[in-house]
Amino acid sequence: MKVAIVYHEDFKKYSFGPNHPLIGDYMDGDIAFKLVKENEKISTIAEIDFFKPNEARDEDILAVHTKEYIDFVLRLNENGGMLTLDTPVLKGVYDVARLFAGADILGGKLVLDESCDKSFVFSTMGHHVGADFGGGFGILNDVAIMIEVLRIKYGLSRVLVIDYAANTGHGTQKIFYDTPEVLCIDIHQDPLTLYPGIGFPEQVGKGKGKGYTVNVPIAPYSSDADFIYALKEIVLPIGVEYKPELVVAVGLNGAHFTVQINQLMLTLNGLNSTVCLLSEIASRTCKGKFVHVGGFSLDQNLSPLGFLATVAGGLNVDIDFPEPYDMPQNLPDVSEQNRESIARIRNIHKKYWKCLN
């Protein structure tokens, strides 16, 4: 099996300043890549190559974003300023955002050209960015740009994007909300409890895209078992029924129990199992064509292990991961709450998907 890892040293320049939680040094992949290359289980089945991307072209970016929005961002990129309260734009940061988009595009092309079987882009992602707005630490929606470029170049009509980050990828959803050619499935913490406050089961798409946005909110304090239950009950069957030509997974280690800005309680083993299930959809539908975007963490102890868990999951390699921290004790059991939520999602989407009947 041939596996591509896409990365650029300049990713570390994507930084919003010393008083901001996103500091570019967190995107240093050296230790993570060493763990992947030296893992015997992975090296037994996979030949790993590293690729350095170029920036996305202007025409690639404008396939998703409005010219007015990009002109505004370019002014900020030149002089500095605030895109939103949580997303300052320091001089030159837009150029790194273009590099993220270029990395995603390269990862997708490598898979679709059959130069590799699976690709992993070690970066952040702009899934909170819409066609004409930014925020949530994002300037460009690199995932949407990749998908549009690949749809045009390869004539794709069924792309599945699965976002399993703790927060709803509302920018990606909005961009593809009215088309059946991109199925957006998003599993995330209950949006009543977390930014951006949208991503409810009733938000299913519009027009020809009705049914092709699937929101799977789960309760705060959800465990590995809760997360996997939701994946098996909703995400896996819908993904397989869709029969995508490409599967794109989007996620950081943000659902890990150590992350304090949300309340999901995944372990590294849970992350590994999650990515394994998402990759299984590709194996069952499109000859394994799988691109993963993300994988770093704001915790430098967690980040290398998280990326190893991500790659191992994508390759269906089972590793028992030691946790760098202790799991909190006396957590509430929210399994019944999640089962009720899954039943509600099933009831909403059974009119669109036969597998849910």
Side-chain angles (χ1 to χ4, degrees), residues 48-65:
I48 297 175
D49 289 317
F50 288 81
F51 295 84
K52 182 178 287 189
N54 296 315
E55 293 179 351
R57 304 172 303 171
D58 290 341
E59 54 262 46
D60 299 334
I61 294 166
L62 291 172
V64 168
H65 294 290

Side-chain angles (χ1 to χ4, degrees), residues 86 119 136 142 157 183 187 197 209 253 266 277-278 298 320 328 333:
D86 64 1
S119 67
D142 52 295
S157 59
L183 169 59
I187 179 169
N253 303 314
L266 259 66
L277 281 170
L278 304 185
L298 297 181
D320 187 20
D333 182 352

